[in-house]
Amino acid sequence: MFTSYADSRTTLPGVQAEITDVTQGVPILYMCDFPPSNLRGGSVLMSRLLETYPQGKLRILTGSYFDTVSPAEGRLPCEHSVFPTTNETGPLGLGRIKSFLEWLMIPLLMLYAILIIKRERIKVIVTIAYGHFFIAAALASRATRVPFILVVHDDWIPEIRRTSWILKSFCVPLFRFVARSAAHIYGVTPYMQQMLNAKYGVESEVQMPGIECSTDCFPLREDSHSNTECLRIVYSGTLTRAMDDSFKMLLTLLKGDVLLRYGITSWELHLYVMATPENAKQAAWCHENIKVHGWVTQDELRRALRMADILFLPFSFRQEERYATELAFPSKTADYLESGKPILILAPPYSSLIKYARQWGFAEVVDEASEEKLAEKIAYMAKSAECRERLIVKSQAALEENHNIRKQRKGFRELVNHLASGT
């Protein structure tokens, strides 16, 4: 029913100096529906945060569904335990049945976690507010008196209300119980931190998406875009409801000829997303100005971002997605900042992206759903060397202050040691 295996993948370059001997460190259990990997935002962040933790002291307890679909890249070379889960989808009510069975399995998941905690002498649990593993983690923490760290990347309540008929009525008190049981909480933005305090009366620490800061590659100057060159716009990341309307607006713009009126004669959109050629055809991406590259490794993505003229970052204008756009934060923002390339954000004024970008000045923004305004801003960024130079300088400042993964790892290690000592 359960499986356990040791991951033997090698450590990524550039972080070897940070790694300590495997006999050092506090034994911790990472317990989440998905394992650390390069699948998407939350798993990427945890992969980077835990990458240099002594792997002999780290144990992963994750779900079988995400363990199967997650890519090999970004996995951690520590022992993994896999608990049976499903994709919670299917026709004729099958998805609801799967979901119901998974929630019924929480007590068994809790007992399995307790077994690992006792056997491995775990001192601290780390979990993410997603799915249902974090609830079992809180229960296991209560039963064993082992403190747990709760990481909040998204507002769990609205998504559960929309997708789970089981928890719709009592998800708020359930989340309040978990949050107030946590020994420490990380929130992905200052706005998430404020929400957690206002709604649930808990304090949290802001930990934004992190990345290795290689600012030596930042260009010092950029020449103005030439009308004879092809303007290269890049988007990377997961396509979700929290950004699809803004993304589609860019597609519509680039398929048409509006940019010609602004003196841009040639352009391309390069997409680095998890999509097959069939997916691209169904989504109407088959166009001479759109290049679909699919999923690539982090090294390939880094090179692609550094070849861009503009990096596009969208968030939805739909009110039903406000719970996500106002509080959450795209993890790819850190990768964009590290690339040293100009960033363009299309998002509503209340979104975390727009507020953060205006505070730090690292991106040009369009805060209304206007194709004409978007075209105008793209042309301005393409033609203005002063704009690009200014954005590069501001990006470097925001990157070092808020997204330096080495600082985050150091703080995390100190927190784990503090919690384990019981002081």
Side-chain angles (χ1 to χ4, degrees), residues 211-218 302 306 338 399:
I211 193 172
E212 293 281 341
C213 298
S214 304
T215 53
D216 57 302
C217 69
F218 273 54
R302 182 173 294 174
R306 290 175 181 174
E338 193 272 339
L399 176 70

Side-chain angles (χ1 to χ4, degrees), residues 68-114:
T68 301
V69 302
S70 297
E73 191 190 16
R75 294 292 190 99
L76 301 176
C78 63
E79 189 170 355
H80 288 55
S81 295
V82 181
F83 189 84
T85 56
T86 72
N87 59 7
E88 299 188 61
T89 62
L92 303 176
L94 180 59
R96 288 192 171 189
I97 294 173
K98 289 180 180 179
S99 180
F100 181 65
L101 291 175
E102 290 205 6
W103 286 100
L104 286 180
M105 293 278 279
I106 284 181
L108 190 56
L109 175 58
M110 176 195 69
L111 293 175
Y112 189 39
I114 291 173

Side-chain angles (χ1 to χ4, degrees), residues 253-282:
L253 170 65
L254 299 184
K255 287 179 180 179
D257 59 4
V258 177
L259 287 176
L260 291 174
R261 302 204 306 266
Y262 290 90
I264 306 298
T265 58
S266 179
W267 60 86
E268 290 178 346
L269 173 63
H270 292 258
L271 300 178
Y272 294 87
V273 298
M274 296 189 75
T276 64
E278 292 74 21
N279 296 146
K281 185 176 181 179
Q282 292 173 2

Side-chain angles (χ1 to χ4, degrees), residues 102-348:
E102 290 205 6
W103 286 100
L104 286 180
M105 293 278 279
I106 284 181
L108 190 56
L109 175 58
M110 176 195 69
L111 293 175
Y112 189 39
I114 291 173
L115 176 64
I116 294 173
I117 291 167
K118 295 293 187 181
R119 187 178 62 206
E120 305 294 332
R121 298 180 180 179
I122 299 296
K123 299 299 182 182
V124 177
I125 304 167
V126 181
T127 188
I128 298 178
Y130 177 91
H132 61 279
F133 271 55
F134 79 104
I135 298 170
L139 295 173
S141 170
R142 281 287 183 107
T144 59
R145 298 184 182 275
V146 172
F148 76 97
I149 300 169
L150 179 65
V151 183
V152 185
H153 291 155
D154 297 288
D155 189 350
W156 182 74
I157 300 298
E159 183 66 16
I160 287 296
R161 281 176 170 166
R162 180 165 60 183
T163 61
S164 176
W165 58 276
I166 303 171
L167 293 177
K168 186 176 295 186
S169 300
F170 55 94
C171 56
V172 171
L174 181 58
F175 185 83
R176 182 180 290 112
F177 160 77
V178 174
R180 292 184 176 179
S181 300
H184 192 84
I185 301 175
Y186 284 124
V188 73
T189 65
Y191 325 112
M192 184 72 77
Q193 181 187 54
Q194 294 163 10
M195 183 277 289
L196 291 169
N197 183 264
K199 285 189 176 181
Y200 306 107
V202 295
E203 299 296 329
S204 59
E205 177 185 352
V206 176
Q207 187 182 79
M208 305 190 80
I211 193 172
E212 293 281 341
C213 298
S214 304
T215 53
D216 57 302
C217 69
F218 273 54
L220 298 178
R221 290 185 59 83
E222 287 213 356
D223 297 327
S224 297
H225 178 77
S226 169
N227 288 346
T228 61
E229 297 174 347
C230 180
L231 179 67
R232 187 183 181 98
I233 302 173
V234 170
Y235 172 79
S236 73
T238 307
L239 300 173
T240 68
R241 292 186 301 270
M243 46 71 62
D244 62 348
D245 54 325
S246 292
F247 176 73
K248 290 175 182 177
M249 181 177 294
L250 177 71
L251 291 178
T252 301
L253 170 65
L254 299 184
K255 287 179 180 179
D257 59 4
V258 177
L259 287 176
L260 291 174
R261 302 204 306 266
Y262 290 90
I264 306 298
T265 58
S266 179
W267 60 86
E268 290 178 346
L269 173 63
H270 292 258
L271 300 178
Y272 294 87
V273 298
M274 296 189 75
T276 64
E278 292 74 21
N279 296 146
K281 185 176 181 179
Q282 292 173 2
W285 296 346
C286 298
H287 190 275
E288 60 182 354
N289 293 340
I290 301 174
K291 313 297 180 183
V292 183
H293 300 273
W295 185 89
V296 298
T297 67
Q298 289 293 293
D299 286 341
E300 291 174 304
L301 178 60
R302 182 173 294 174
R303 288 193 293 269
L305 296 181
R306 290 175 181 174
M307 292 176 62
D309 296 305
I310 295 174
L311 301 176
F312 184 64
L313 200 53
F315 247 174
S316 176
F317 285 84
R318 295 195 299 267
Q319 278 298 310
E320 58 266 32
E321 301 301 329
R322 183 164 181 159
Y323 76 94
T325 60
E326 194 168 21
L327 302 175
F329 198 81
S331 64
K332 59 181 164 285
T333 307
D335 298 74
Y336 279 19
L337 291 168
E338 193 272 339
S339 73
K341 290 296 183 174
I343 300 171
L344 170 61
I345 296 174
L346 175 61

Side-chain angles (χ1 to χ4, degrees), residues 15-25 52-56 413:
V15 298
Q16 188 66 39
E18 272 190 84
I19 299 179
T20 59
D21 186 83
V22 294
T23 61
Q24 300 176 2
T52 61
Y53 197 84
Q55 298 297 292
R413 288 289 295 270

